[in-house]
Amino acid sequence: DLTNWVWGLERLDHPRFHVTASARWAGGLRQLREKGIPEDRIHAIGQPLRPEFAAPRGDRQAIRREWEIPADRIVILMVMGGAGSARAHRLVERILAMRGVRAHLLACAGRSREFAAGLAAMAQGPDVSMRVIPFTDRMADLMAASDLLVTKPGPGTINEAVQMRLPMLVEGGRHWLFWEQANIDLVRQLGLGDVFDDPGDLPGLIRRHAEQPEHGAAMRAAMERHAESGFEARIRELVASLLAPAPPAAANFSAGGH
């Protein structure tokens, strides 16, 4: 829902007004059109991601060996923010208590030593092992080594996962900020992942991915359809076009005009 973001756009009057978006999402496009933004002024150009998320991922098995990831388990990457939270602890508890699915959890703790220590102290179950990852600049490698992502609805991590074609489970609910709610809608509507509102649903969703590989394949196919790449080149082209001299007869664009 871009309601707050698009507030006031109908009052803009500029000959070269353009809007960029990470993807051509029906809900966002509808709200922009309602504000009178012409279709040719809306550009889906992806997100500004670090180059390693767009480059070839290299040898997946070598990355797993480097990070001492067991070869016989489904690998779950959990990224829930760098400060930690009670919700994140509950999600880890649910995953570690799983039975019947052999998994290895990479739990990212960010810069919070307290959060990392709390995770490290948690008892691991017989079927699920865990490694706590402090702050790292190698998130692309971790995503390349993983089979499934568990995350909050932050735009950065979601777009990184889409670029890496990593199926995701996104925590929903109504406690997120309005722009994070928009990311939940985006994931649901484009089929990029599953959304869970109750932590108790998480083990079942993980089991489904382990037992039904076609479910994750459908998410990767949706990511392939909707991913936009080449942000750096496309934003440079757009800025250059805005800075170029305007044709003498160019008419002003008013966002509220038709």
Side-chain angles (χ1 to χ4, degrees):
D1 183 357
L2 300 180
T3 300
N4 287 12
W5 189 88
V6 301
W7 184 85
L9 285 185
E10 70 280 0
R11 297 196 298 272
L12 288 172
D13 186 2
H14 193 280
R16 297 183 180 184
F17 180 76
H18 292 257
V19 176
T20 61
S22 61
R24 300 193 71 80
W25 168 44
L29 291 175
R30 173 183 54 78
Q31 290 180 300
L32 289 170
R33 293 190 191 105
E34 288 174 353
K35 295 295 184 178
I37 310 300
E39 187 76 23
D40 64 353
R41 302 298 178 91
I42 303 171
H43 308 272
I45 63 173
Q47 286 278 349
L49 301 176
R50 295 199 307 273
E52 57 264 33
F53 289 99
R57 292 186 278 277
D59 188 339
R60 172 184 172 96
Q61 296 307 318
I63 296 172
R64 288 191 171 193
R65 288 193 296 271
E66 179 185 354
W67 288 85
E68 300 179 340
I69 297 173
D72 60 341
R73 297 177 180 235
I74 180 175
V75 181
I76 305 166
L77 176 64
M78 193 183 82
V79 182
M80 295 296 293
S85 68
R87 288 195 307 274
H89 276 271
R90 287 196 295 270
L91 295 180
V92 172
E93 287 175 345
R94 296 281 186 172
I95 296 172
L96 293 179
M98 288 179 57
R99 298 292 186 272
V101 176
R102 291 182 61 78
H104 183 69
L105 176 63
L106 299 172
C108 293
R111 299 183 186 275
S112 173
R113 294 181 180 179
E114 182 180 356
F115 184 35
L119 293 178
M122 298 175 72
Q124 301 183 29
D127 293 335
V128 182
S129 56
M130 177 176 67
R131 176 172 178 173
V132 178
I133 309 293
F135 175 80
T136 178
D137 61 358
R138 297 185 61 188
M139 188 59 67
D141 282 352
L142 292 176
M143 286 190 173
S146 299
D147 301 298
L148 187 61
L149 170 69
V150 177
T151 189
K152 67 185 186 71
T157 302
I158 288 175
N159 279 283
E160 290 166 356
V162 170
Q163 187 66 39
M164 299 292 289
R165 310 299 191 263
L166 177 60
M168 67 184 89
L169 306 179
V170 178
E171 186 183 12
R174 287 294 168 188
H175 52 273
W176 300 109
L177 299 171
F178 72 88
W179 59 80
E180 293 173 318
Q181 291 291 338
N183 297 325
I184 293 171
D185 294 340
L186 181 75
V187 168
R188 278 189 168 127
Q189 293 180 18
L190 299 186
L192 306 177
D194 288 326
V195 177
F196 62 95
D197 295 331
D198 185 343
D201 295 334
L202 184 56
L205 292 173
I206 293 173
R207 183 180 300 277
R208 181 182 184 186
H209 277 267
E211 297 177 352
Q212 301 176 28
E214 65 274 11
H215 187 54
M219 292 180 184
R220 287 190 291 272
M223 294 174 182
E224 191 70 35
R225 289 193 301 272
H226 296 291
E228 299 285 349
S229 59
F231 173 91
E232 291 79 6
R234 296 172 73 181
I235 196 66
R236 282 197 296 267
E237 292 172 359
L238 181 56
V239 171
S241 71
L242 296 177
L243 295 176
N252 280 5
F253 161 66
S254 170
H258 297 279

